[in-house]
Amino acid sequence: MDPLLDFTGKVAVITGAAQGLGQLLAQELAKRGAKLVLCDINETGVKQVAKSIAASGAKVIAMRCDVASSEQCKAVVDSAIKAFGGVDIAVNNAGIAHEFMPLHDIDESIMDSQFAINVKGVQFGMRYQIQQMLKQGQGCILNVSSMAGLCGSPLGSAYAMAKHAVIGLTKTGAVEYGRANIRINAICPFFTLTPMVTNFADEEKQKKIGKIAPMNRLGEPKEVVATMLMMLSPANTYMTGQCIAVDGGVSAT
Ligand SMILES: NC(=O)c1ccc[n+]([C@@H]2O[C@H](COP(=O)([O-])OP(=O)(O)OC[C@H]3O[C@@H](n4cnc5c(N)ncnc54)[C@H](O)[C@@H]3O)[C@@H](O)[C@H]2O)c1
């Protein structure tokens, strides 16, 4: 296998792996030799994903985890250590959107859920992943932010707040743990055709949003996952603290 994409024996934890980007990333890492610890608040969904990946011969465990719970995030890392001896790669991918609405209509419950899942959920994951990676002397973390973490996001202010916070956690973590040989980066996709988007936007709406991008379309999950693989690659050893847009050119406008 090309060493750029050879994940043989690497233990990878992925949150939010029951569907969308997390599911596809799990499938792609398994094909390339990784051992997987998958979790999601949707226990049935994540166990189904694990079952289909295991059928191809990969080593995989799956469990329920609400990333808003610090204890449950710890349990995921503990399970990885118990099943496979550690955590080489961690992808803090679980996240939620909220209905499009102007900032002056965003109420406290939306702020709370965005903060609990999209911000605290990432910090809880990082906390226990880093504790283990410090013991190992190495590790690689990829946080899933968004274009909304880099730019203003009209009608998505609470989501933008949360995804900007993920960038803050990523950059600070990279600086704090660079000397410990732990790389920490974030990926920042524009609208991508996962259930998060297809559940609220029909084809007409997708086309309309796609027009914002110089490439005149939304992203495909495989395009985002290809960049995730590159960022996680065992050959990609000097990249840390970076927040990479996968956005059809939106951030260039
Ligand atoms: N699809 C996009 O357009 C897009 C763009 C930018 C960033 N993102 C980010 O990418 C990540 C993955 O999103 P996706 O597009 O695959 O969405 P998705 O809705 O298809 O999948 C998200 C997964 O996260 C899980 N999840 C939600 N809340 C959780 C919780 N509290 N604990 C554990 N799991 C939970 C869901 O059950 C689901 O399986 C998210 O962080 C999202 O914000 C998505």
Side-chain angles (χ1 to χ4, degrees), residues 15-22 39-42 65-68 92-97 117-118 144-147 159 163 187-197:
T15 70
Q19 63 180 39
L21 298 177
C39 66
D40 203 289
I41 198 166
N42 173 1
C65 168
D66 177 353
V67 295
N92 294 305
N93 165 75
I96 55 164
I117 296 167
N118 290 356
V144 183
S145 177
S146 168
M147 275 306 296
Y159 183 76
K163 293 300 187 179
I187 189 162
C188 302
F190 184 55
F191 288 91
T192 304
L193 291 163
T194 66
M196 181 178 277
V197 168

Side-chain angles (χ1 to χ4, degrees), residues 100-120:
F100 283 141
M101 65 180 82
L103 191 151
H104 66 265
D105 285 337
I106 298 268
D107 64 19
E108 194 173 356
S109 71
I110 295 175
M111 291 296 284
D112 285 348
S113 59
Q114 284 294 317
F115 198 72
I117 296 167
N118 290 356
V119 182
K120 284 163 77 176

Side-chain angles (χ1 to χ4, degrees), residues 141-146 166-167 170-171 184-188 231 239 241-245:
I141 294 176
L142 177 62
N143 294 328
V144 183
S145 177
S146 168
V166 172
I167 304 269
T170 302
K171 290 188 175 174
I184 306 178
N185 294 294
I187 189 162
C188 302
M231 295 174 81
M239 177 195 212
Q242 301 309 302
C243 305
I244 303 294

Side-chain angles (χ1 to χ4, degrees), residues 52-122:
S52 79
I53 290 175
S56 68
K59 293 205 163 102
V60 51
I61 60 169
M63 60 195 289
R64 183 185 187 278
C65 168
D66 177 353
V67 295
S69 156
S70 176
E71 273 168 31
Q72 291 179 32
C73 290
K74 181 176 186 307
V76 172
V77 171
D78 288 344
S79 298
I81 297 166
K82 195 166 167 214
F84 301 128
V87 178
D88 300 303
I89 290 169
V91 184
N92 294 305
N93 165 75
I96 55 164
H98 62 76
E99 235 179 273
F100 283 141
M101 65 180 82
L103 191 151
H104 66 265
D105 285 337
I106 298 268
D107 64 19
E108 194 173 356
S109 71
I110 295 175
M111 291 296 284
D112 285 348
S113 59
Q114 284 294 317
F115 198 72
I117 296 167
N118 290 356
V119 182
K120 284 163 77 176
V122 172

Side-chain angles (χ1 to χ4, degrees), residues 11-12 31 38 85 96 116 151 157 168 175 193 218 243:
V11 180
K31 268 191 225 165
L38 308 181
I96 55 164
C151 307
S157 57
V175 175
L193 291 163
L218 303 191
C243 305

